[in-house]
Amino acid sequence: MTTDRQMTLIAFLQAQNCTNFPASWRHPAAAADFMSPEYYQRIGRTLEEGKFHLAFFDDRLAIPDVYADDFKMTIREGIRAVKLDPMLCALTLANATERLGVGVTYSTTYYEPFHVARTFQTLDQLTKGRAAWNVVTSLNSSEAVNFGRDLVLEHDLRYDRAEEFLEIVRGHWRSWDDDALILDKQGMFADPERVRRLDHQGEWFKSRGPFTVPRSAQGEPILIQAGQSGRGRSFAAKWGDLVFVIYPNLKVGQKSYAEFKDVLEATGRGRDSVKIAPAIYTVVGETQTQAEDRRAVIDNLVKPIDGLVLLSEVLNFDFAKKGYDEAFTTEEMDGISGIQAFRDRVVALSGRANPTPRDFVEFTRRGTLDEFPVFMGSPKQIADQMEEWFGTACDGFVLAASHAPGAYDDFVRLVVPELRRRGLFRKDFEGATLRENLGLQRPPVGG
């Protein structure tokens, strides 16, 4: 098969002791130098060799300590126990590459809009137009207390705050004209008529300006969003350039993909204005048997405590308080303040309005490779699975790693050539900026 339409490939990175798969640090081939610049540089060079569009760093502002209201299990078992600043890791990776996009997760809950606007526009300048911001709202009590708060904002209020936050950030980014800089050493440095104050006064924030960082090569950073249901989906449809999703299977993915494209069309943005990419794992071998052997090694790394600790974190509910087969009360379900898409998925897949901790473990598979769809087999078999999803359930994929850097090395060496042979993935970068490589238009100034 050959096609003019090609998939977007994104690497899902962590600035921590493990990948998104918490047991990855136990893998015999996992690199242990995750606090060194060389670790991120190696990964970046591999991804650039494979012509990936983007590497983006996930983040949370606390280590997982909701389970049993303690951090000792997290530290002992290495369950995302070390979290470096992803912005610095992203810049380190970017400095070892030339075309690969770099994205960073930053919360709208505990930072100020001007700070975030300046940080990301600076990253965009220093990477010559390759930056992206993964916009999130912080969701658990551990993060709240790290920033001097006693309570987590209620779900919809977090999005209300985030809406205004984005208006300010984007307003600052667009307050410089593209041609504002003159750099005439005998005359003007910049034209003051081409720079504006924002003068924002809203319900949550005030921010005056003028902004301190001129427009970048791509205008402004790409916005990544992960909203999948309710308020989150409408937020993603309004703001996102790239939407990161989690689908349990192809059928659900096809339905959600079509629904989100309909939402985009209804908002007037256009069905092709936003890239939609689900998270997946790949386990590739030269043969199916070799891939199965590699998968067995990975599965043997998992401990049950990994999932319970991470479920407690993401749902902001202490799973140690419940018996494994004790149903959640309606009040407890309504009180979950974390990622509600997780809760909704368990209700839908279990068919129970009041599921048990066992249901949450079984239907989210949190802490295991099966949390995301796993494409396993030879390069041809994995390409077959990606081809089946592409175009009907997604515009590309976010590749999480069973271990690093080996999982990315294997994918670039074995799977990328097969995708190219089928005409499903590019042979080179289309341009110098992330926006050019994603096929997205340069945003306007003003307004």
Side-chain angles (χ1 to χ4, degrees), residues 371-413:
E371 181 177 3
F372 307 146
V374 181
F375 295 175
M376 184 180 71
S378 67
K380 181 180 182 302
Q381 289 170 311
I382 288 178
D384 286 345
Q385 294 169 82
M386 295 178 77
E387 186 172 346
E388 184 181 16
W389 283 57
F390 179 56
T392 64
C394 63
D395 302 305
F397 299 90
V398 175
L399 271 76
S402 57
H403 62 289
Y408 297 119
D409 294 338
D410 290 343
F411 186 88
V412 168
R413 180 173 60 90

Tab-separated table of all heavy atoms in Angstrom, residues 371-413:
chain	number	residue	atom	x	y	z
A	371	GLU	N	-1.852	-1.387	29.719
A	371	GLU	CA	-2.591	-0.141	29.940
A	371	GLU	C	-2.920	0.525	28.608
A	371	GLU	O	-3.950	1.175	28.456
A	371	GLU	CB	-1.764	0.811	30.806
A	371	GLU	CG	-2.468	2.127	31.095
A	371	GLU	CD	-1.675	3.033	31.998
A	371	GLU	OE1	-0.540	2.674	32.375
A	371	GLU	OE2	-2.188	4.104	32.340
A	372	PHE	N	-2.018	0.389	27.639
A	372	PHE	CA	-2.237	0.865	26.282
A	372	PHE	C	-2.294	-0.357	25.358
A	372	PHE	O	-1.811	-1.436	25.718
A	372	PHE	CB	-1.095	1.772	25.817
A	372	PHE	CG	-0.770	2.917	26.723
A	372	PHE	CD1	0.541	3.355	26.854
A	372	PHE	CD2	-1.754	3.575	27.446
A	372	PHE	CE1	0.864	4.425	27.678
A	372	PHE	CE2	-1.451	4.636	28.282
A	372	PHE	CZ	-0.137	5.063	28.400
A	373	PRO	N	-2.862	-0.230	24.169
A	373	PRO	CA	-2.778	-1.322	23.204
A	373	PRO	C	-1.312	-1.695	22.956
A	373	PRO	O	-0.449	-0.820	22.863
A	373	PRO	CB	-3.419	-0.737	21.948
A	373	PRO	CG	-4.346	0.319	22.460
A	373	PRO	CD	-3.659	0.907	23.651
A	374	VAL	N	-1.036	-2.994	22.871
A	374	VAL	CA	0.319	-3.482	22.629
A	374	VAL	C	0.375	-4.097	21.235
A	374	VAL	O	-0.327	-5.065	20.948
A	374	VAL	CB	0.740	-4.524	23.682
A	374	VAL	CG1	2.165	-4.999	23.407
A	374	VAL	CG2	0.631	-3.949	25.089
A	375	PHE	N	1.186	-3.519	20.372
A	375	PHE	CA	1.403	-4.069	19.041
A	375	PHE	C	2.678	-4.913	19.119
A	375	PHE	O	3.767	-4.384	19.347
A	375	PHE	CB	1.569	-2.960	18.008
A	375	PHE	CG	0.333	-2.115	17.804
A	375	PHE	CD1	0.361	-1.010	16.980
A	375	PHE	CD2	-0.870	-2.410	18.433
A	375	PHE	CE1	-0.766	-0.230	16.761
A	375	PHE	CE2	-2.009	-1.643	18.235
A	375	PHE	CZ	-1.947	-0.546	17.397
A	376	MET	N	2.539	-6.214	18.929
A	376	MET	CA	3.643	-7.138	19.151
A	376	MET	C	3.859	-8.025	17.938
A	376	MET	O	2.904	-8.436	17.280
A	376	MET	CB	3.366	-8.009	20.384
A	376	MET	CG	4.511	-8.950	20.755
A	376	MET	SD	4.123	-9.955	22.207
A	376	MET	CE	2.888	-11.076	21.517
A	377	GLY	N	5.124	-8.332	17.669
A	377	GLY	CA	5.434	-9.269	16.602
A	377	GLY	C	6.634	-8.826	15.798
A	377	GLY	O	7.472	-8.042	16.250
A	378	SER	N	6.710	-9.332	14.588
A	378	SER	CA	7.765	-8.949	13.658
A	378	SER	C	7.487	-7.527	13.161
A	378	SER	O	6.390	-6.994	13.355
A	378	SER	CB	7.782	-9.914	12.475
A	378	SER	OG	6.584	-9.757	11.723
A	379	PRO	N	8.449	-6.885	12.489
A	379	PRO	CA	8.184	-5.555	11.931
A	379	PRO	C	6.958	-5.526	11.027
A	379	PRO	O	6.173	-4.578	11.075
A	379	PRO	CB	9.466	-5.239	11.155
A	379	PRO	CG	10.527	-6.002	11.879
A	379	PRO	CD	9.872	-7.267	12.335
A	380	LYS	N	6.789	-6.551	10.222
A	380	LYS	CA	5.623	-6.595	9.329
A	380	LYS	C	4.327	-6.674	10.132
A	380	LYS	O	3.337	-5.997	9.815
A	380	LYS	CB	5.725	-7.787	8.388
A	380	LYS	CG	4.570	-7.902	7.406
A	380	LYS	CD	4.717	-9.112	6.500
A	380	LYS	CE	3.573	-9.175	5.488
A	380	LYS	NZ	2.230	-9.217	6.123
A	381	GLN	N	4.306	-7.503	11.172
A	381	GLN	CA	3.090	-7.649	11.977
A	381	GLN	C	2.731	-6.345	12.698
A	381	GLN	O	1.558	-5.971	12.789
A	381	GLN	CB	3.274	-8.788	12.979
A	381	GLN	CG	3.285	-10.167	12.329
A	381	GLN	CD	3.715	-11.257	13.300
A	381	GLN	OE1	4.736	-11.121	13.991
A	381	GLN	NE2	2.947	-12.335	13.362
A	382	ILE	N	3.742	-5.646	13.218
A	382	ILE	CA	3.467	-4.381	13.896
A	382	ILE	C	2.995	-3.337	12.893
A	382	ILE	O	2.037	-2.586	13.155
A	382	ILE	CB	4.709	-3.907	14.666
A	382	ILE	CG1	4.914	-4.813	15.886
A	382	ILE	CG2	4.574	-2.444	15.093
A	382	ILE	CD1	6.117	-4.491	16.711
A	383	ALA	N	3.611	-3.279	11.728
A	383	ALA	CA	3.164	-2.349	10.699
A	383	ALA	C	1.735	-2.655	10.258
A	383	ALA	O	0.945	-1.740	9.985
A	383	ALA	CB	4.113	-2.394	9.508
A	384	ASP	N	1.376	-3.935	10.197
A	384	ASP	CA	-0.004	-4.316	9.863
A	384	ASP	C	-0.983	-3.719	10.870
A	384	ASP	O	-2.046	-3.188	10.495
A	384	ASP	CB	-0.157	-5.839	9.873
A	384	ASP	CG	0.470	-6.526	8.676
A	384	ASP	OD1	0.783	-5.831	7.680
A	384	ASP	OD2	0.667	-7.759	8.744
A	385	GLN	N	-0.653	-3.812	12.153
A	385	GLN	CA	-1.541	-3.304	13.198
A	385	GLN	C	-1.636	-1.777	13.148
A	385	GLN	O	-2.724	-1.213	13.286
A	385	GLN	CB	-1.028	-3.765	14.568
A	385	GLN	CG	-1.094	-5.266	14.766
A	385	GLN	CD	-0.339	-5.717	16.004
A	385	GLN	OE1	-0.849	-5.665	17.121
A	385	GLN	NE2	0.914	-6.156	15.816
A	386	MET	N	-0.516	-1.119	12.937
A	386	MET	CA	-0.543	0.337	12.848
A	386	MET	C	-1.334	0.791	11.626
A	386	MET	O	-2.093	1.768	11.686
A	386	MET	CB	0.890	0.875	12.798
A	386	MET	CG	1.681	0.606	14.074
A	386	MET	SD	3.404	1.190	14.022
A	386	MET	CE	3.144	2.947	14.281
A	387	GLU	N	-1.172	0.090	10.533
A	387	GLU	CA	-1.897	0.431	9.307
A	387	GLU	C	-3.400	0.255	9.498
A	387	GLU	O	-4.201	1.040	8.972
A	387	GLU	CB	-1.395	-0.426	8.147
A	387	GLU	CG	-1.993	-0.054	6.799
A	387	GLU	CD	-1.326	-0.795	5.643
A	387	GLU	OE1	-0.242	-1.389	5.839
A	387	GLU	OE2	-1.896	-0.770	4.541
A	388	GLU	N	-3.801	-0.767	10.252
A	388	GLU	CA	-5.219	-1.007	10.505
A	388	GLU	C	-5.853	0.154	11.285
A	388	GLU	O	-6.999	0.534	11.037
A	388	GLU	CB	-5.403	-2.313	11.269
A	388	GLU	CG	-6.860	-2.700	11.497
A	388	GLU	CD	-7.010	-3.989	12.275
A	388	GLU	OE1	-6.017	-4.432	12.912
A	388	GLU	OE2	-8.117	-4.566	12.265
A	389	TRP	N	-5.118	0.714	12.216
A	389	TRP	CA	-5.630	1.816	13.033
A	389	TRP	C	-5.589	3.158	12.300
A	389	TRP	O	-6.475	3.994	12.481
A	389	TRP	CB	-4.788	1.934	14.308
A	389	TRP	CG	-5.075	0.914	15.356
A	389	TRP	CD1	-5.013	-0.447	15.241
A	389	TRP	CD2	-5.457	1.177	16.715
A	389	TRP	NE1	-5.326	-1.056	16.428
A	389	TRP	CE2	-5.594	-0.075	17.352
A	389	TRP	CE3	-5.676	2.338	17.447
A	389	TRP	CZ2	-5.956	-0.195	18.694
A	389	TRP	CZ3	-6.025	2.236	18.789
A	389	TRP	CH2	-6.176	0.977	19.403
A	390	PHE	N	-4.548	3.352	11.489
A	390	PHE	CA	-4.286	4.657	10.889
A	390	PHE	C	-5.400	5.066	9.928
A	390	PHE	O	-5.796	4.310	9.052
A	390	PHE	CB	-2.948	4.607	10.146
A	390	PHE	CG	-2.576	5.884	9.454
A	390	PHE	CD1	-2.491	7.071	10.155
A	390	PHE	CD2	-2.307	5.900	8.101
A	390	PHE	CE1	-2.143	8.254	9.523
A	390	PHE	CE2	-1.947	7.071	7.453
A	390	PHE	CZ	-1.870	8.248	8.166
A	391	GLY	N	-5.896	6.281	10.145
A	391	GLY	CA	-6.919	6.831	9.258
A	391	GLY	C	-8.336	6.599	9.710
A	391	GLY	O	-9.221	7.404	9.423
A	392	THR	N	-8.586	5.477	10.428
A	392	THR	CA	-9.940	5.226	10.927
A	392	THR	C	-10.047	5.450	12.435
A	392	THR	O	-11.126	5.733	12.943
A	392	THR	CB	-10.385	3.789	10.619
A	392	THR	OG1	-9.543	2.861	11.316
A	392	THR	CG2	-10.329	3.506	9.130
A	393	ALA	N	-8.914	5.340	13.149
A	393	ALA	CA	-8.928	5.558	14.598
A	393	ALA	C	-7.935	6.627	15.032
A	393	ALA	O	-7.968	7.051	16.183
A	393	ALA	CB	-8.619	4.251	15.334
A	394	CYS	N	-7.055	7.055	14.126
A	394	CYS	CA	-6.025	8.006	14.535
A	394	CYS	C	-5.318	8.589	13.325
A	394	CYS	O	-5.444	8.101	12.203
A	394	CYS	CB	-5.010	7.337	15.449
A	394	CYS	SG	-4.081	5.989	14.670
A	395	ASP	N	-4.539	9.648	13.600
A	395	ASP	CA	-3.681	10.271	12.590
A	395	ASP	C	-2.216	9.917	12.808
A	395	ASP	O	-1.351	10.331	12.035
A	395	ASP	CB	-3.839	11.797	12.648
A	395	ASP	CG	-5.287	12.223	12.435
A	395	ASP	OD1	-5.871	11.839	11.408
A	395	ASP	OD2	-5.834	12.923	13.311
A	396	GLY	N	-1.954	9.174	13.861
A	396	GLY	CA	-0.595	8.776	14.199
A	396	GLY	C	-0.588	8.121	15.560
A	396	GLY	O	-1.652	7.769	16.097
A	397	PHE	N	0.590	7.970	16.144
A	397	PHE	CA	0.715	7.212	17.392
A	397	PHE	C	1.684	7.899	18.345
A	397	PHE	O	2.671	8.514	17.925
A	397	PHE	CB	1.208	5.796	17.109
A	397	PHE	CG	0.289	4.995	16.229
A	397	PHE	CD1	0.439	5.012	14.849
A	397	PHE	CD2	-0.750	4.253	16.781
A	397	PHE	CE1	-0.419	4.288	14.036
A	397	PHE	CE2	-1.621	3.524	15.975
A	397	PHE	CZ	-1.457	3.543	14.598
A	398	VAL	N	1.391	7.738	19.640
A	398	VAL	CA	2.304	8.136	20.703
A	398	VAL	C	2.926	6.850	21.236
A	398	VAL	O	2.237	6.034	21.851
A	398	VAL	CB	1.573	8.890	21.829
A	398	VAL	CG1	2.522	9.197	22.979
A	398	VAL	CG2	0.952	10.176	21.292
A	399	LEU	N	4.207	6.673	20.993
A	399	LEU	CA	4.879	5.422	21.365
A	399	LEU	C	5.484	5.526	22.757
A	399	LEU	O	6.418	6.297	22.988
A	399	LEU	CB	5.981	5.086	20.357
A	399	LEU	CG	5.531	4.247	19.160
A	399	LEU	CD1	4.755	5.102	18.167
A	399	LEU	CD2	6.727	3.620	18.474
A	400	ALA	N	4.915	4.761	23.688
A	400	ALA	CA	5.515	4.598	25.006
A	400	ALA	C	6.539	3.470	24.919
A	400	ALA	O	6.516	2.651	23.993
A	400	ALA	CB	4.442	4.275	26.039
A	401	ALA	N	7.434	3.426	25.892
A	401	ALA	CA	8.541	2.467	25.824
A	401	ALA	C	8.485	1.479	26.974
A	401	ALA	O	8.325	1.871	28.127
A	401	ALA	CB	9.879	3.201	25.851
A	402	SER	N	8.663	0.196	26.661
A	402	SER	CA	8.753	-0.829	27.703
A	402	SER	C	10.030	-0.675	28.506
A	402	SER	O	10.092	-1.052	29.677
A	402	SER	CB	8.701	-2.222	27.076
A	402	SER	OG	9.745	-2.373	26.117
A	403	HIS	N	11.062	-0.109	27.894
A	403	HIS	CA	12.318	0.233	28.560
A	403	HIS	C	13.044	1.204	27.644
A	403	HIS	O	12.760	1.289	26.446
A	403	HIS	CB	13.175	-1.010	28.831
A	403	HIS	CG	13.596	-1.735	27.600
A	403	HIS	ND1	12.710	-2.456	26.812
A	403	HIS	CD2	14.813	-1.851	26.989
A	403	HIS	CE1	13.350	-2.987	25.795
A	403	HIS	NE2	14.629	-2.635	25.872
A	404	ALA	N	13.955	1.968	28.213
A	404	ALA	CA	14.651	2.983	27.427
A	404	ALA	C	16.166	2.844	27.614
A	404	ALA	O	16.622	2.517	28.709
A	404	ALA	CB	14.184	4.378	27.843
A	405	PRO	N	16.884	3.096	26.526
A	405	PRO	CA	16.413	3.550	25.208
A	405	PRO	C	16.078	2.428	24.229
A	405	PRO	O	15.691	2.683	23.096
A	405	PRO	CB	17.605	4.360	24.692
A	405	PRO	CG	18.801	3.649	25.269
A	405	PRO	CD	18.371	3.165	26.631
A	406	GLY	N	16.193	1.164	24.675
A	406	GLY	CA	16.115	0.029	23.769
A	406	GLY	C	14.835	-0.086	22.967
A	406	GLY	O	14.863	-0.463	21.788
A	407	ALA	N	13.692	0.235	23.566
A	407	ALA	CA	12.427	0.095	22.840
A	407	ALA	C	12.370	1.040	21.646
A	407	ALA	O	11.830	0.698	20.590
A	407	ALA	CB	11.256	0.356	23.787
A	408	TYR	N	12.928	2.248	21.797
A	408	TYR	CA	12.964	3.191	20.676
A	408	TYR	C	13.991	2.760	19.633
A	408	TYR	O	13.744	2.887	18.428
A	408	TYR	CB	13.279	4.599	21.177
A	408	TYR	CG	12.213	5.149	22.101
A	408	TYR	CD1	12.511	5.502	23.404
A	408	TYR	CD2	10.900	5.297	21.659
A	408	TYR	CE1	11.529	5.991	24.254
A	408	TYR	CE2	9.912	5.777	22.499
A	408	TYR	CZ	10.230	6.130	23.799
A	408	TYR	OH	9.260	6.603	24.638
A	409	ASP	N	15.121	2.247	20.085
A	409	ASP	CA	16.130	1.737	19.147
A	409	ASP	C	15.527	0.644	18.262
A	409	ASP	O	15.705	0.641	17.039
A	409	ASP	CB	17.327	1.161	19.908
A	409	ASP	CG	18.103	2.209	20.688
A	409	ASP	OD1	18.006	3.403	20.339
A	409	ASP	OD2	18.792	1.833	21.649
A	410	ASP	N	14.818	-0.300	18.887
A	410	ASP	CA	14.227	-1.415	18.138
A	410	ASP	C	13.190	-0.922	17.136
A	410	ASP	O	13.130	-1.400	15.999
A	410	ASP	CB	13.575	-2.403	19.110
A	410	ASP	CG	14.580	-3.167	19.956
A	410	ASP	OD1	15.765	-3.187	19.588
A	410	ASP	OD2	14.175	-3.717	20.999
A	411	PHE	N	12.361	0.034	17.551
A	411	PHE	CA	11.310	0.524	16.662
A	411	PHE	C	11.905	1.231	15.453
A	411	PHE	O	11.483	1.000	14.307
A	411	PHE	CB	10.368	1.469	17.415
A	411	PHE	CG	9.184	1.895	16.606
A	411	PHE	CD1	8.019	1.134	16.600
A	411	PHE	CD2	9.226	3.043	15.829
A	411	PHE	CE1	6.919	1.517	15.829
A	411	PHE	CE2	8.131	3.435	15.064
A	411	PHE	CZ	6.970	2.670	15.064
A	412	VAL	N	12.889	2.084	15.692
A	412	VAL	CA	13.495	2.828	14.582
A	412	VAL	C	14.244	1.886	13.646
A	412	VAL	O	14.175	2.015	12.421
A	412	VAL	CB	14.430	3.930	15.136
A	412	VAL	CG1	15.288	4.524	14.019
A	412	VAL	CG2	13.597	5.024	15.805
A	413	ARG	N	14.928	0.904	14.188
A	413	ARG	CA	15.722	-0.009	13.368
A	413	ARG	C	14.865	-0.985	12.584
A	413	ARG	O	15.178	-1.304	11.418
A	413	ARG	CB	16.695	-0.779	14.269
A	413	ARG	CG	17.589	-1.777	13.546
A	413	ARG	CD	18.631	-2.353	14.490
A	413	ARG	NE	18.021	-3.049	15.623
A	413	ARG	CZ	17.702	-4.348	15.633
A	413	ARG	NH1	17.926	-5.082	14.544
A	413	ARG	NH2	17.176	-4.895	16.699
